[in-house]
Amino acid sequence: MPNAATLLASDFATLSDLIAAHARERGDKTAIVFGDRTLSYTELDRGMDRVAAALQRDGVPAGAATAILAPTSIEYALVFLGILRAGCVAAPLAPSATPGQLAAMVADCRAPILFHDAAHAGLDVAARQVPIERLDAWLAPEDAVPTPVARTPDDAFNIIYSSGTTGTPKGIVQPHAMRWIHIGRAPAGFGDAVTMIATPLYSNTTLVSFLPTLGWGGTAVLMAKFDAGAFVRLAEKHRATHTMLVPVQYQRIMALPDFDAHDLSSFRLKTCTSAPFSAALKADVLARWPGLLVEYYGMTEGGGTCALVCNLHPDKLHTVGQPLEGHDIRLIDDEGREVAPGEMGEVVGRSPAMMTGYHGREEATGAATWHDAQGNRFIRHGDIGRFDADGFLILMDRKKDLIISGGFNIYPSDLETVLVQHPDVADCSVIGVPSAEWGETPVGFYVGAGDPAAILAWFNGSVGKTQRLSALERIDELPRSAIGKVLKRELRDRYLAR
């Protein structure tokens, strides 16, 4: 059997084979930490065998999807990785989805088995239901060895379902080749990484950090639920070297009164993705948290990825960086034509790491695709942006969030940048709502203190006439997804319901 170094240097290897190699070579090394529990690479490898053997015992064929619906735990990690060893396709589902959406997702991926937590017992689905809290009762015996299953780069690795906040979630099929690229682009020396995992394991944001850590033989420290104070204490205790966080998590960590009292000098790399990351917050992290800070801009579907190494480009913190090597990002207009240099357009991207398509949805896959004059396939990112003179991408907003009021394009992110500068505003979001007079009009929500009428007057006096808010509401907390994205649909529904 090839060793881990040989596998990592090859053109393609599976994560399952990499974990098996680490178990052979340094089985006592800690692979996963969760609370007061730890799992060595030997224990992880054996647990994966038991899951895979049980799936094969139950007649789940290679290539079949197997669904998981539960919060982060060691059992969750074992199930996810064991599914891969059986040659099956992991289908992690978000517990925040409605029962109807969950049933639709299980039916869409045709999962014969659903692993679930106690909160979702009795979900009305056709799949056999296995409580993850009682996983031991289902597992194959400790000495079980599954039948080896070869996987190719084009085979499906997992299906990630979209958040479902705008209708029926779409299943994004990610092949083994895409995950192999995520593992391969991890920085040198990742084998001794101690990675803080503070977002849910069902999120693609988490997997692009969790999977490479195990692929290189590092240690993943899992959090059941994010808490800023607990995060810094755990990071200090385990001498964490890496983490992937979303912007709202950075915001809460940096706001800790005792942040500077914690020794976080072990950090070598902190990354961020999934939501807008303000220049001011990036600057604060740079100033007070040791190690590199890298923002990644991309999407679950793949497309192209930009990276901003903030330490090297402190004058570009308002951007999301430049395309990675081998990634082609372009901007197009509403007619699908490339825009001139410096002009705004919809972001489309192409790279070796792209989804196969939306599961069972050829029409949706086609709508998300753009081809250049040479016939190369690009994926539409759904964002509007422009490149500066140095080739750094500046994002303006999500295309679907663009507000057209009286014929003028209004970008909510521009308004949010101004609104959050008020001393009484801790967090904010701007949405567009229907207007009989203007077609659409912007409405703001903010978290903080002060009188909304006074803040509204200050804001409208600080922006141009076409950017003025028609209303501003104080809210206890902005609705967010598990990875920190503001759920603007919920804000819009809340406003329109009144």
Side-chain angles (χ1 to χ4, degrees):
M1 296 290 289
N3 61 27
T6 300
L7 290 172
L8 286 165
S10 66
D11 292 333
F12 172 73
T14 66
L15 177 62
S16 181
D17 286 347
L18 284 168
I19 291 174
H22 294 314
R24 292 193 301 270
E25 296 164 30
R26 42 179 181 167
D28 293 338
K29 170 81 181 289
T30 299
I32 297 175
V33 177
F34 182 72
D36 58 0
R37 299 173 62 192
T38 62
L39 210 61
S40 69
Y41 271 93
T42 294
E43 293 167 331
L44 175 60
D45 186 57
R46 292 299 308 132
M48 291 167 61
D49 272 352
R50 294 179 70 190
V51 171
L55 288 170
Q56 293 176 348
R57 174 201 67 203
D58 290 355
V60 180
T66 303
I68 318 173
L69 176 60
T72 295
S73 67
I74 280 181
E75 286 73 22
Y76 191 116
L78 283 174
V79 167
F80 188 104
L81 297 167
I83 289 169
L84 299 176
R85 179 154 292 175
C88 299
V89 182
L93 310 180
S96 58
T98 67
Q101 289 173 333
L102 291 169
M105 288 185 272
V106 174
D108 178 75
C109 69
R110 300 178 182 176
I113 292 181
L114 168 67
F115 295 92
H116 65 82
D117 64 339
H120 293 89
L123 191 68
D124 187 15
V125 294
R128 175 186 174 186
Q129 300 184 39
V130 177
I132 204 163
E133 293 93 343
R134 298 199 297 273
L135 188 64
D136 279 345
W138 173 84
L139 288 172
E142 291 190 8
D143 60 351
V145 178
T147 302
V149 179
R151 296 284 83 186
T152 71
D154 292 335
D155 287 329
F157 182 103
N158 58 249
I159 301 175
I160 300 288
Y161 280 90
S162 61
S163 63
T165 56
T166 56
T168 305
K170 298 188 293 290
I172 301 165
V173 181
Q174 297 173 316
H176 276 266
M178 186 172 180
R179 291 302 187 193
W180 171 243
I181 288 169
H182 293 164
I183 292 171
R185 75 183 183 197
F190 210 61
D192 64 350
V194 178
T195 305
M196 293 292 297
I197 304 293
T199 47
L201 282 176
Y202 58 78
S203 162
N204 185 66
T205 295
T206 309
L207 295 177
V208 296
S209 179
F210 176 66
L211 300 179
T213 297
L214 297 179
W216 282 86
T219 299
V221 180
L222 308 181
M223 295 186 72
K225 185 178 181 180
F226 174 75
D227 173 85
F231 178 93
V232 293
R233 291 191 294 271
L234 271 176
E236 189 172 26
K237 174 184 176 181
H238 293 290
R239 303 301 295 158
T241 60
H242 294 71
T243 194
M244 166 76 85
L245 297 171
V246 297
V248 69
Q249 292 175 321
Y250 278 107
Q251 181 182 8
R252 291 172 183 174
I253 289 170
M254 302 311 294
L256 289 171
D258 64 343
F259 173 82
D260 296 318
H262 293 276
D263 179 8
L264 302 179
S265 60
S266 58
F267 272 94
R268 302 201 299 264
L269 175 65
K270 305 173 300 299
T271 54
C272 185
T273 191
S274 295
F277 195 10
S278 74
L281 183 54
K282 293 176 197 175
D284 191 24
V285 176
L286 280 180
R288 298 198 288 142
W289 193 340
L292 286 176
L293 175 64
V294 179
E295 179 182 15
Y296 286 107
Y297 163 68
M299 58 192 306
T300 304
E301 288 88 337
T305 298
C306 285
L308 175 68
V309 183
C310 300
N311 310 64
L312 301 181
H313 302 284
D315 59 331
K316 299 290 187 180
L317 300 186
H318 61 292
T319 79
V320 293
Q322 298 170 301
L324 293 174
E325 184 177 354
H327 290 237
D328 186 357
I329 292 183
R330 305 184 197 178
L331 306 177
I332 62 174
D333 62 20
D334 290 341
E335 281 72 46
R337 300 171 300 203
E338 290 188 53
V339 303
E343 291 187 2
M344 290 190 302
E346 180 185 353
V347 180
V348 296
R350 170 180 169 81
S351 73
M354 295 169 68
M355 71 170 179
T356 304
Y358 293 117
H359 186 257
R361 299 196 182 190
E362 292 185 10
E363 185 176 341
T365 300
T369 302
W370 176 81
H371 292 89
D372 67 7
Q374 288 71 44
N376 295 311
R377 171 179 169 244
F378 288 70
I379 293 178
R380 294 175 180 265
H381 285 223
D383 294 306
I384 297 171
R386 66 176 178 84
F387 284 104
D388 71 11
D390 299 314
F392 286 73
L393 181 62
I394 302 170
L395 293 181
M396 310 305 295
D397 231 310
R398 295 289 294 168
K399 186 176 182 180
K400 67 181 181 182
D401 292 334
L402 174 67
I403 302 168
I404 303 177
S405 182
F408 291 94
N409 289 349
I410 299 174
Y411 298 96
S413 61
D414 289 344
L415 279 58
E416 292 160 359
T417 298
V418 176
L419 184 55
V420 80
Q421 293 175 16
H422 192 282
D424 288 334
V425 175
D427 201 1
C428 67
S429 183
V430 173
I431 61 169
V433 299
S435 165
E437 184 177 4
W438 304 108
E440 283 186 298
T441 187
V443 169
F445 294 82
Y446 78 98
V447 178
D451 174 34
I455 298 174
L456 178 62
W458 168 86
F459 176 88
N460 284 343
S462 304
V463 298
K465 184 177 180 180
T466 59
Q467 293 181 309
R468 292 173 183 170
L469 297 175
S470 60
L472 178 66
E473 292 189 12
R474 185 167 54 223
I475 190 171
D476 291 336
E477 187 176 10
L478 294 176
R480 292 182 182 272
S481 69
I483 55 172
K485 292 183 179 179
V486 175
L487 302 176
K488 295 199 174 194
R489 172 74 173 263
E490 290 192 12
L491 291 175
R492 190 174 294 110
D493 289 347
R494 166 191 169 128
Y495 184 86
L496 295 177
R498 297 197 301 274

